[in-house]
Amino acid sequence: MIRTVDISDVPVIHAMIRELADYERAPHEARATEEQLRDALFGEHPAVFGLIAEDDASGQPVGFALWFRNFSTWRGTHGVYLEDLYVRPSARGGGHGKALLTELARICVERGYSRLEWSVLDWNEPSIGFYKSLGAVPMDEWTVFRLTDDALAELGS
């Protein structure tokens, strides 16, 4: 079952974000707090939206997707940027990841959004294969750039 996150999901989403950071070999980079997550999802001006995948038998959360709207100047429409998609190892292969992506695609279609985009680490072959099996294509000609920490502060000051 896929459902929209509610405020009581924040602790479990936070825990799964930590699990995802471990999987992606970067636990030191996952610094978000539950309070920051709660504010981003449920504050006065929510900036992030989320879905929860629940185990059909137990009803326990086994995965999540966090996303936000972006905008394509070329297409003139909004899209969805999937920030994180995670399914706990014990629940992988049960269709939860596909169900989360299917719901995001449904949201895009329903709202007239023209793109659903995300990033994947180039070494994550299981995920890359899964995404390709759904019809997703890598954007090989694009390189992601990022400013953080000291470089961001220096440029912004």
Side-chain angles (χ1 to χ4, degrees):
M1 182 176 126
I2 304 300
R3 63 172 174 79
T4 302
V5 300
D6 64 51
I7 201 160
S8 68
D9 294 315
V10 170
V12 73
I13 293 170
H14 186 259
M16 285 191 280
I17 288 170
R18 303 289 306 168
E19 293 170 26
L20 174 60
D22 286 340
Y23 174 76
E24 292 186 349
R25 306 173 189 160
H28 58 283
E29 293 183 36
R31 297 182 288 205
T33 65
E34 286 186 27
E35 181 180 331
Q36 289 172 313
L37 194 55
R38 190 174 299 106
D39 186 54
L41 285 161
F42 302 103
E44 186 175 342
H45 302 287
V48 179
F49 307 93
L51 299 170
I52 290 285
E54 292 180 337
D55 179 76
D56 292 335
S58 69
Q60 293 300 307
V62 294
F64 75 95
L66 291 184
W67 60 277
F68 54 89
R69 288 189 327 163
N70 58 15
F71 184 80
S72 170
T73 57
W74 289 17
R75 294 201 171 202
T77 63
H78 285 287
V80 163
Y81 186 83
L82 175 59
E83 179 62 27
D84 281 332
L85 174 75
Y86 179 73
V87 175
R88 287 186 156 148
S90 62
R92 291 186 188 150
H96 303 291
K98 183 176 182 180
L100 287 163
L101 285 168
T102 298
E103 179 61 12
L104 284 171
R106 188 197 64 74
I107 289 168
C108 288
V109 170
E110 178 182 89
R111 297 180 186 183
Y113 298 169
S114 59
R115 292 181 178 165
L116 171 55
E117 297 179 314
W118 62 93
S119 297
V120 60
L121 292 166
D122 59 7
W123 56 259
N124 192 344
E125 289 298 328
S127 292
I128 291 169
F130 168 64
Y131 298 143
K132 285 182 177 180
S133 78
L134 299 176
V137 294
M139 303 299 293
D140 294 333
E141 67 275 9
W142 293 88
T143 300
V144 176
F145 280 80
R146 178 178 293 162
L147 280 171
T148 61
D149 303 325
D150 293 342
L152 178 62
E154 184 177 330
L155 184 61
S157 60

